[in-house]
Amino acid sequence: MVQHSCFNLRTVSVAQPQNLISKVQTMGAGGRMNVAAGSDKPHAFKRVPVSKPPFELSDLKKAVPPHCFKRSLVRSFAALFRDIIIVSVLYYLAATIIPVLPKPLTYVAWPLYWFFQGAYLMGLWVIGHECGHHGFSEYQWLDDTVGFIVHSLILTPYFGFKYSHRTHHANTNSIEYDEVWIPKRKSDKLYSEILNNPLGSFVVFVFKIVLGFPLYFVFNLYGRKYEKGITSHFYPYSPIFNDSERFQIFLTDLGVFGTLYGVYRLALIKGTEWVINFYGMPILFMSGFFILLTYLHHTHPSIPHYDSTEWDWLRGALATVDRNFGFLNHAFHDVTRTHAVHHLFPTIPHYHTFEARLAVMPILGDYYKYDDTPILEAVWRETKDCIFIEPEEVNGEKKGIYWFYK
C-alpha cells in the first residue's frame, strides 16, 4: 500500500486549478511528478514507468473524496444548458451581425463563428460522451435519452460510440484489442517510409483533422482491425457490437439520419449556403476538435503500448496524457486536463474530475503524464514523431512493450 502524501488535497478548494497544479507537480511516488512544461523541457519526452505500479486501483479510489463519485442532476443539466445557451447566443450573434457586415469583414467573422461554435458544440459532445459513461445522472435511461438526443443532433452515433468506447476503456493501449488510435507498425511502408517526411506529415495532419471524425465512425478508421464483418459504428451487425446491442444501433442510425434529413429540409428553406455557414462548418470544426482531443490524449513519445504478453488494465489506463488547451478548456468542460483520471474512474462526472485528479496525483507519481506543450505545436510534433511503434529490446530480446518511433 502506498502511503498518501500529508498534503491534504481533500481540503483544498479547486477554484484555482492552475495554482493547485503547481503545488502538486513536484509531489508523488519518490517525490517526482512526470509533468512536461513544453517540448523544450526534458520531462516532455521522459517515458512513463512500465513496471507494475506500487499501488492498486483501490488505493487510488480511497484517495478520491467520496462526493466525487456523486452525480448531480442539477450540475449536469446546468452544464448541458450552459452549452445550449452559448451555442444559441453564438448563432443569434452570427445571424444578426455577419449579414450586415461589409463583405471583407465577413471573411474574418465567419471563421471566428465557426471556430467558437465548433468549440462549444464539442462541449455538447463531451456531455453526450459523459452520458455514455453513465456519468450524467443516477438514471441510465435518462443518460441514454440525453446522450442520444445530443449526439444525434451533432451527427455522432450515440450507441455505436458508447459500445465501442466501452471496449476502448476496457483495453486501453492494447495493440490487439483497443478500439481507437491503434498505432501503425514499421512494416506499414505507407507511414514508415512514404509519408515519413515533413510534407507527408502535413498531409496526414490535414487529413486527420478534416476527415478523421466521419471516417472513424463510418469506416472505423484509426480503430481496431477485425478479421470478419463490416466495421462501422452505423452497421448493426458490425463485429464491434454484440447481439443485445444491435437494435440500439438501428436507433442510432435513425437519430443521425433523422438529423441529416432535417438539415436537408432546412437547406430547401434557407439555402445550402446558409446551412453550410451556420451548421456544416461548425460541425466540421467540432469534428476537428474531437480528433485533436482524442489523438493527443493517446499519442505521445513517452507513453507505451502493450501486447498480450505484457498488457494489464491498470498500466494500460495509465498510459494516457493530460493536455492543456488553454482558453478552450472552458468550452470542453476541462476534460482536456483530466483524461488520466477519467480512464481510472470513467463514471466520475466532469465537474468532479479535476478534484479527483489532484487527489490521485501524489500516489501516481511518475505514472501520471501531463504535457502543456501548446496544442498546435504538440499535434505537429506527435504527427511527425509518433509514426509507428516497435517493441522494446532488452539484451537483444524483444519485449511486449512498444514505443513510438519515427
Side-chain angles (χ1 to χ4, degrees):
M1 178 77 69
V2 174
Q3 295 297 313
H4 292 205
S5 166
C6 62
F7 183 71
N8 189 354
L9 289 165
R10 298 190 186 194
T11 64
V12 177
S13 167
V14 295
Q16 300 294 333
Q18 289 288 6
N19 293 337
L20 286 175
I21 291 175
S22 65
K23 290 180 180 179
V24 299
Q25 278 181 350
T26 58
M27 303 177 64
R32 301 179 305 277
M33 183 59 63
N34 202 349
V35 178
S39 61
D40 59 329
K41 304 295 178 66
H43 278 305
F45 299 104
K46 182 181 179 182
R47 289 178 172 179
V48 300
V50 293
S51 57
K52 181 177 173 59
F55 50 80
E56 301 290 342
L57 183 64
S58 59
D59 301 320
L60 300 172
K61 188 172 183 179
K62 290 174 185 176
V64 177
H67 70 263
C68 288
F69 296 95
K70 303 289 185 181
R71 290 159 287 201
S72 165
L73 266 179
V74 172
R75 296 190 69 174
S76 293
F77 271 110
L80 174 62
F81 289 133
R82 183 210 79 165
D83 290 339
I84 292 173
I85 291 170
I86 292 175
V87 166
S88 300
V89 169
L90 287 171
Y91 163 75
Y92 174 79
L93 292 175
T96 304
I97 297 173
I98 297 179
V100 299
L101 289 176
K103 188 70 172 179
L105 290 181
T106 63
Y107 295 113
V108 176
W110 278 122
L112 284 174
Y113 167 71
W114 299 336
F115 178 89
F116 284 102
Q117 190 71 296
Y120 282 95
L121 287 177
M122 186 64 207
L124 278 173
W125 189 95
V126 167
I127 297 298
H129 158 265
E130 190 157 282
C131 290
H133 279 294
H134 195 19
F136 186 83
S137 76
E138 299 293 331
Y139 310 100
Q140 184 69 65
W141 67 269
L142 181 60
D143 288 22
D144 283 341
T145 301
V146 172
F148 174 73
I149 293 171
V150 168
H151 270 187
S152 295
L153 291 174
I154 50 179
L155 304 184
T156 300
Y158 172 73
F159 287 109
F161 178 72
K162 173 183 175 178
Y163 295 131
S164 74
H165 196 59
R166 170 201 59 199
T167 305
H168 161 62
H169 272 260
N171 300 278
T172 309
N173 281 29
S174 162
I175 65 172
E176 292 107 343
Y177 301 110
D178 200 352
E179 279 288 351
V180 68
W181 295 120
I182 309 301
K184 303 298 180 182
R185 300 298 302 277
K186 189 176 183 180
S187 56
D188 189 333
K189 301 300 182 184
L190 175 64
Y191 286 86
S192 64
E193 295 183 6
I194 298 174
L195 295 175
N196 194 357
N197 53 72
L199 178 59
S201 295
F202 180 75
V203 170
V204 169
F205 169 75
V206 173
F207 181 85
K208 222 168 5 196
I209 295 299
V210 176
L211 295 175
F213 180 87
L215 293 181
Y216 169 62
F217 288 120
V218 177
F219 300 111
N220 205 37
L221 186 71
Y222 308 122
R224 173 183 167 189
K225 305 302 179 186
Y226 289 85
E227 294 182 3
K228 297 180 180 180
I230 300 172
T231 50
S232 171
H233 288 78
F234 291 96
Y235 184 55
Y237 296 97
S238 169
I240 298 173
F241 315 117
N242 61 46
D243 289 340
S244 66
E245 298 160 352
R246 305 201 191 282
F247 176 71
Q248 291 176 310
I249 307 306
F250 278 112
L251 292 180
T252 289
D253 295 349
L254 288 175
V256 172
F257 287 110
T259 297
L260 288 172
Y261 179 73
V263 171
Y264 164 71
R265 298 294 301 179
L266 197 58
L268 294 179
I269 299 169
K270 294 284 192 177
T272 303
E273 183 179 355
W274 188 96
V275 168
I276 291 173
N277 281 329
F278 284 104
Y279 182 76
M281 292 303 295
I283 288 292
L284 183 64
F285 272 73
M286 182 207 75
S287 66
F289 287 131
F290 167 86
I291 292 296
L292 279 178
L293 254 72
T294 57
Y295 176 72
L296 289 176
H297 280 151
H298 292 284
T299 307
H300 194 278
S302 71
I303 62 170
H305 286 73
Y306 304 93
D307 66 21
S308 56
T309 65
E310 285 281 348
W311 184 88
D312 63 69
W313 184 86
L314 184 56
R315 284 190 297 166
L318 291 172
T320 61
V321 186
D322 283 351
R323 304 278 189 168
N324 187 352
F325 276 66
F327 67 91
L328 288 174
N329 290 332
H330 177 267
F332 304 155
H333 298 286
D334 221 8
V335 299
T336 47
R337 295 185 290 174
T338 58
H339 195 69
V341 78
H342 169 67
H343 264 271
L344 295 170
F345 307 109
T347 61
I348 292 181
H350 70 272
Y351 41 82
H352 288 318
T353 51
F354 207 97
E355 185 178 2
R357 170 202 180 208
L358 294 173
V360 300
M361 280 173 68
I363 301 175
L364 294 177
D366 281 344
Y367 286 88
Y368 173 76
K369 188 72 177 183
Y370 176 83
D371 188 348
D372 68 354
T373 302
I375 292 305
L376 289 180
E377 178 186 345
V379 71
W380 175 246
R381 181 189 68 197
E382 267 62 295
T383 299
K384 67 183 179 64
D385 289 352
C386 300
I387 304 294
F388 58 86
I389 57 169
E390 283 298 292
E392 182 180 276
E393 289 193 26
V394 177
N395 298 324
E397 182 179 346
K398 293 184 177 180
K399 300 179 65 177
I401 303 168
Y402 294 70
W403 300 97
F404 279 109
Y405 295 94
K406 69 170 182 177

